[in-house]
Amino acid sequence: TLLQPYWSMLCYIFPEQVGCFICDIVEADLEGLYIRVCEEECGVPWTASSSGKGSEPPSDGEQCIQQELLQIVIQKLGYTRESGCFVKRPVLFFKICRILSSSLQTEQPGEECMAFLREFLLPGISLFKCNPAMSQEFWKFLGCFPYEERYSLYSSWRGTGLERNALLSDKPLWLIRSEIMAGKDARHALKRVSKDTIRDASRAIAKVCHSHPLVVFSAILGQIESYDNLVHVMVDGLKDVTPLSLDVLGFCILSRLDGTAGGFNRSRLKDDGVNVSQWLQSLESFIGALYKRFPFLELAGITSYLMARVSSGHVMELGVLRTLLKESGGWAFADYAPAASLSMAQLEGRAGSTNLKRETMSFGVVPVFNERAS
């Protein structure tokens, strides 16, 4: 422990010689654990000597997988956190993710494991530029966590600010530098977003999202709150992003709603004190269109927040719930005036086929909606 600052300094000064050497030591120490844990799930090619034996679950007296993993990696890789030389060893990142994914099948993540994810592994994704496989591998085990723990990890990843706002925080310099470069690339891609260029722009946005989803979605939500005509274009532009990035987008939306990102104490009413603010109206439209396009996204966080706001007497966010029901749930017909006097038979007819809807309703056109979202 006393030598840790010196090892960190050496890794920062000599990343190729000292930092990569430490990573190689960790990878060599992990080889036995990786073969034992992941040979069946991942098809390790160099296990010919152990063929036929199979991977047996550890007995009560044996050490658990997470504890064995953390004893190998947590101290040594802690030396490389400030230098970012971990980027030279992407295979080591894959091995750690696969071991954690296998361990979650039989074990619950402990406090030490969560601290390792929060301080090292999750920020380490920002090191690997334009690598969707890294994001997919990380999501395999992170998706098993409840949304409260995932959003807590994302909040730690964001810290006190992004890009230049993080200069006074305890983030490593390599992370701040990569956030600034990602923000520059994201804003450059967003300048070219339109209905005609959405195909190329969506690819450029996805490339930055693989490593810095928080930076990209902060810029996207900022533009959507100012220009509501970009809502459907931006939703179409997210078709190439990974599930991890979409989950981070749900966290970013929730942060904009409760005021922990994008400005504090923003008024939800216009200056007249009657109409809803422009930023909240645009955010409502974007949430409805987003969850209609991607129905597999985590919705528990937003609904829990809306219920808590309503229970405390705040009703300005009810528009978000109304938009979710209309757009994602297929209840857009409720905006029509005759919908106020629907009979029970007509309401039950809305749950049937297209022909039944036309027979029980007189609205003419039956709206097309995403059945998976409803």
Side-chain angles (χ1 to χ4, degrees), residues 108-109 114 139 141-154 247 298 300:
Q108 293 293 330
M114 295 300 297
W139 177 250
F141 72 90
L142 188 65
C144 302
F145 288 40
Y147 79 92
E148 296 93 345
E149 295 183 2
R150 298 201 309 268
Y151 286 5
S152 176
L153 292 174
Y154 300 152
D247 193 61
E298 182 68 61

Side-chain angles (χ1 to χ4, degrees), residues 155-172:
S155 179
S156 301
W157 191 10
R158 184 183 61 190
T160 57
L162 296 171
E163 300 184 62
R164 291 179 176 85
N165 296 327
L167 289 174
L168 299 179
S169 64
D170 58 347
K171 285 185 178 180

